[in-house]
Amino acid sequence: MIETGRIVIAGAGLGALYAALELAPRPVLVISPEPLGEGASSAWAQGGVAAAMATHDTPEAHAVDTVQAGAGTVDPDVAAMVTQVARAHIIDLTELGAPFDRDADGNYVMSREAAHSAARVVRVKGDQAGGQIMQTLIAAVRAAPSVQVLENTQAVRLETEGCTVTGIWITRADVPSAPVLIKAPGVLLAGGGSGGLYAHTTNPPRIRGQVIGFAARAGARIADPEFVQFHPTAFDIGEDPAPLATEALRGEGAVLINAAGDRFMVEEHPDAELAPRDIVARAIFAETQGDRRPMLDTREALGSEVLTRYPTVAETCARAGIDPVQDPIPVAVAAHYHMGGVEADMQGRTSLKNLWVCGEASSTGLHGANRLASNGLLEALVYARNAAQDIASLDALADARAIHPSFPAGGQNLDAAAVKNLRETMTAYAGVRRTAAGLKQALTAIAQLEAEQAADENFVNMCATATLIAAAALQREESRGGHLRDDFPETDPAQAHRTRISLNEALAIRAKVQKELT
Ligand code: SIN
């Protein structure tokens, strides 16, 4: 056991690093599963940060779009707060050195993305916002003497006394090891979402719901776990994870067609390709299921400019042997963002004392059942700062000595077959289309996998989150946003509320299903 006065931040993406800088000069310890900048979802974000920066735009309009996209369960106070402070965060990031695209007059260049009533996404080099903002933050973190980064380590468990978090157990992330307890005055969870629990995902390989899982195992209340967002236009080129073709391309006029050349979104929604993401994702899924081969066609809208203005997309095309100037890009849906997570109030506080959360691991009420594009990075920034300001009021923050844990032998490598099985189960039964029978099958399969891998805490954390998703999806007998029940296809106004659930409640649902099916 090691005792530290540092605040421990579990995760090393945008929210984690921004919070570490906000907390400076207070000492913090960042638990980073990879070398900084590698493996964080935020570094892979293409679109950018949504913020009402244009003169004709307002935070109020941004809040209205957020509430509308969220399909009835967005907390309007949260939407108002987040959209109101968005501009200040963009200016602060700019001052830190984030190289946002600007026009000749110095105005921010903004992309249009689905369900936004204005071009409102501040971007970097077309489709490189996440990676470039992360580089800016990494440079600042490396220069901040108050921040210690433990690379190649991961959190697996929280230490609690009653309802108070008193520390965190970490292991090596690069090789198996036994966990070491770090006793700390406070813990901020900023370790990403759950996309990698699905067989088709845009998330980096390590992001498989572990953070939500270990927080739930410690007793933290979870909100909205059933709401998982599937991105409509992941490249369908057989890569895992599936590379993203940013929604900004559709904002520029790229269209969705199928193998017969039909622009199928025109029939589906008045906003066609710029309809809310859940609607576009469902339509793409239907085209794929019907063997009609959905594709993103940038040819007319962008021509050869796609190669220079969207370098990440161009690079993926080149790798896959696709020439987007001549041919449309094959696309499919992929799990992209988890609206659910550890329940957080406006200061990022969780239901456990001395535990905060920000970013995709959290559920703040901003996203409802369907996140508005590019509100993810924004939420991470806003809650990282809010949490940091709240944490700053803690007393014992003086001990800035670096810690040097040595990890005893032990632990085990993840069982790749079990992970594959879990991911395929989630895609088949808790994915874009859901039914009671399928969700029950998912719960049974998760329980069996968890029992077989009980000695691997990392895998157990994944199973905890998978259980929460499937159990809450089974409970929600309606369709709303990212949650589509084939057996309850209508939206039920009586269920226009958020879900709050503990892991014990989800496990009780799972046990009941297991009993019913045996
Ligand atoms: C995209 O660029 O399409 C993704 C943006 C987001 O998920 O917010």
Side-chain angles (χ1 to χ4, degrees):
M1 190 263 282
I2 298 178
E3 198 144 13
T4 180
R6 291 173 179 268
I7 295 297
V8 177
I9 301 180
L14 179 96
L17 302 190
Y18 199 59
L21 294 170
E22 288 287 332
L23 277 161
R26 289 161 207 277
V28 304
L29 175 69
V30 173
I31 306 298
S32 175
E34 277 98 8
L36 271 193
E38 292 174 23
S41 300
S42 24
W44 288 26
Q46 291 187 12
V49 188
M53 303 297 287
T55 42
H56 61 271
D57 199 6
T58 62
E60 289 75 21
H62 183 183
V64 166
D65 292 346
T66 299
V67 169
Q68 204 159 322
T73 56
V74 170
D75 181 331
D77 294 336
V78 170
M81 181 275 286
V82 171
T83 53
Q84 201 60 238
V85 297
R87 163 179 276 274
H89 284 275
I90 299 301
I91 288 167
D92 291 350
L93 275 181
T94 306
E95 277 167 10
L96 259 182
F100 291 115
D101 292 351
R102 311 287 271 270
D103 66 17
D105 298 324
N107 300 313
Y108 292 87
V109 176
M110 275 162 298
S111 303
R112 175 104 192 247
E113 292 189 3
H116 283 277
S117 56
R120 184 185 286 137
V121 179
V122 180
R123 66 190 206 193
V124 184
K125 296 184 190 159
D127 57 11
Q128 303 192 356
Q132 294 286 330
I133 297 170
M134 281 295 287
Q135 287 311 317
T136 303
L137 294 180
I138 288 168
V141 160
R142 295 261 189 236
S146 60
V147 185
Q148 183 191 356
V149 181
L150 276 184
E151 292 180 327
N152 302 315
T153 60
Q154 64 189 356
V156 290
R157 195 189 321 159
L158 290 168
E159 179 77 359
T160 52
E161 279 169 26
C163 290
T164 301
V165 169
T166 55
I168 190 161
W169 291 81
I170 63 171
T171 65
R172 287 188 63 162
D174 48 352
V175 290
S177 79
V180 168
L181 172 60
I182 312 289
K183 284 269 208 181
V187 173
L188 170 64
L189 304 176
S194 312
L197 281 176
Y198 288 83
H200 304 292
T201 181
T202 61
N203 286 198
R206 200 185 292 277
I207 307 292
R208 305 205 197 282
Q210 298 95 324
V211 174
I212 297 168
F214 72 67
R217 287 175 57 217
R221 197 166 44 235
I222 303 301
D224 295 345
E226 68 273 40
F227 294 125
V228 175
Q229 183 168 71
F230 296 87
H231 199 291
T233 56
F235 275 78
D236 188 14
I237 51 174
E239 285 188 15
D240 176 28
L244 195 64
T246 177
E247 203 162 275
L249 293 165
R250 279 176 278 139
E252 296 252 21
V255 294
L256 291 165
I257 57 170
N258 58 23
D262 291 337
R263 229 187 112 192
F264 51 89
M265 277 313 299
V266 173
E267 299 278 297
E268 295 286 335
H269 194 276
D271 293 336
E273 283 83 2
L274 290 178
R277 197 173 275 182
D278 53 335
I279 293 168
V280 185
R282 243 172 259 162
I284 295 266
F285 188 72
E287 295 299 305
T288 304
Q289 296 289 301
D291 269 339
R292 291 186 290 277
R293 190 85 174 130
M295 293 173 281
L296 179 67
D297 189 350
T298 64
R299 292 174 295 184
E300 198 176 322
L302 285 156
S304 60
E305 283 187 28
V306 70
L307 302 177
T308 48
R309 291 178 50 206
Y310 292 90
T312 309
V313 169
E315 197 184 301
T316 307
C317 284
R319 199 168 62 237
I322 299 164
D323 177 359
V325 182
Q326 301 296 333
D327 298 309
I329 301 167
V331 291
V333 301
H336 180 61
Y337 191 92
H338 197 177
M339 277 75 76
V342 182
E343 188 186 10
D345 72 8
M346 287 213 204
Q347 279 69 47
R349 293 186 201 133
T350 70
S351 62
L352 299 180
K353 194 160 183 292
N354 294 345
L355 182 69
W356 289 259
V357 65
C358 68
E360 199 177 337
S362 71
S363 182
T364 64
L366 179 68
H367 307 308
N370 178 48
R371 180 182 60 105
L372 185 67
S374 292
N375 266 357
L377 293 186
L378 173 62
E379 184 199 50
L381 293 167
V382 172
Y383 279 81
R385 174 170 291 171
N386 289 6
Q389 287 173 352
D390 199 54
I391 292 168
S393 63
L394 280 182
D395 290 338
L397 290 166
D399 183 359
R401 277 172 300 175
I403 65 157
H404 302 284
S406 66
F407 294 94
Q412 60 187 88
N413 279 318
L414 272 170
D415 182 317
V419 173
K420 182 168 183 283
N421 198 333
L422 179 64
R423 297 178 70 199
E424 284 173 356
T425 297
M426 293 301 284
T427 289
Y429 302 120
V432 178
R433 304 185 77 111
R434 301 162 171 184
T435 62
L439 291 163
K440 287 178 183 177
Q441 210 156 327
L443 285 166
T444 317
I446 297 163
Q448 189 180 333
L449 285 167
E450 188 181 318
E452 287 164 7
Q453 302 293 323
D456 184 349
E457 203 161 7
N458 214 353
F459 189 76
V460 170
N461 289 333
M462 295 178 199
C463 288
T465 303
T467 299
L468 283 155
I469 293 171
L474 181 63
Q475 295 271 83
R476 188 174 279 278
E477 295 186 331
E478 63 155 354
S479 292
R480 180 181 295 280
H483 170 71
L484 172 62
R485 286 282 299 260
D486 279 332
D487 44 358
F488 294 96
E490 302 303 322
T491 301
D492 173 8
Q495 296 186 53
H497 51 74
R498 301 182 62 204
T499 296
R500 266 111 186 160
I501 188 168
S502 68
L503 180 59
N504 281 343
E505 287 162 346
L507 289 172
I509 294 168
R510 190 173 89 178
K512 190 162 163 244
V513 166
Q514 280 179 283
K515 210 163 152 199
E516 188 187 310
L517 295 187
T518 49

